[in-house]
Amino acid sequence: MRAVVQRVRSARVLVDGQVVGEIGPGMLALIGVAKDDGPGDLAYLASKLRDVRIFEDEAGKMNLALADVGGALLAVSQITLYGDCRRGRRPSFDAAAGADQGRLLFDALVRELRDAGVQVATGAYQARMAVELVNDGPVTILLDSRKAF
């Protein structure tokens, strides 16, 4: 599983002009699922999203996690995180999970985070979404359960 994580002052997702998920201060996570992902990948990403220290402490150092600052997480599924453009100009999505598997793992990730006490809002799976955010920093972090980067 992969995530592009951005520290935000606020973020929201719209589908057909209607807000389907919205948060105040916290993190926006664009999340991709690979076809060979399983429970270990899910656990790894849930732990990282919950505990990554990208929020500043009183000394201005990135030393605080989401719970430490009372922030929320907006999770948005994004198959394009597994787009591969190394051959040709059009992305290949061969490594991405199919719709059913991707939905199962994405939903399980959201449940695991909520069970851990994280306030989570989501986009709409497989919908064409407009994602709006106010970056804070900006701070953008890449996470990958296979530690590809």
Side-chain angles (χ1 to χ4, degrees):
M1 294 182 87
R2 288 184 176 161
V4 174
V5 178
Q6 295 184 299
R7 188 174 72 188
V8 298
R9 293 183 184 175
S10 63
R12 68 183 190 161
V13 177
L14 296 95
V15 174
D16 296 326
Q18 301 297 313
V19 175
V20 297
E22 185 171 23
I23 63 166
M27 294 188 313
L28 166 66
L30 306 174
I31 298 169
V33 179
K35 64 181 168 188
D36 57 351
D37 282 342
D41 300 284
L42 187 145
Y44 175 87
L45 191 58
S47 173
K48 286 292 187 180
L49 290 170
R50 185 184 63 242
D51 298 329
V52 67
R53 298 185 310 174
I54 63 170
F55 298 93
E56 295 174 352
D57 63 15
E58 59 279 344
K61 292 192 181 242
M62 284 196 280
N63 201 29
L64 302 175
L66 198 57
D68 298 326
V69 297
L73 173 71
L74 178 57
V76 178
S77 64
Q78 189 165 352
I79 186 175
T80 60
L81 293 183
Y82 280 96
D84 184 350
C85 294
R86 290 178 291 181
R87 294 173 23 210
R89 293 175 294 207
R90 184 175 0 161
S92 165
F93 297 100
D94 290 343
D100 292 340
Q101 177 194 9
R103 181 186 302 268
L104 285 173
L105 285 173
F106 179 82
D107 289 347
L109 175 69
V110 169
R111 270 194 312 279
E112 186 162 327
L113 288 165
R114 286 178 176 156
D115 289 349
V118 178
Q119 179 188 344
V120 181
T122 66
Y125 197 86
Q126 282 191 290
R128 185 169 193 99
M129 297 174 273
V131 180
E132 298 176 348
L133 67 137
V134 178
N135 243 319
D136 183 14
V139 173
T140 303
I141 304 293
L142 304 175
L143 301 174
D144 186 281
S145 63
R146 304 297 166 100
K147 301 174 184 152
F149 41 77

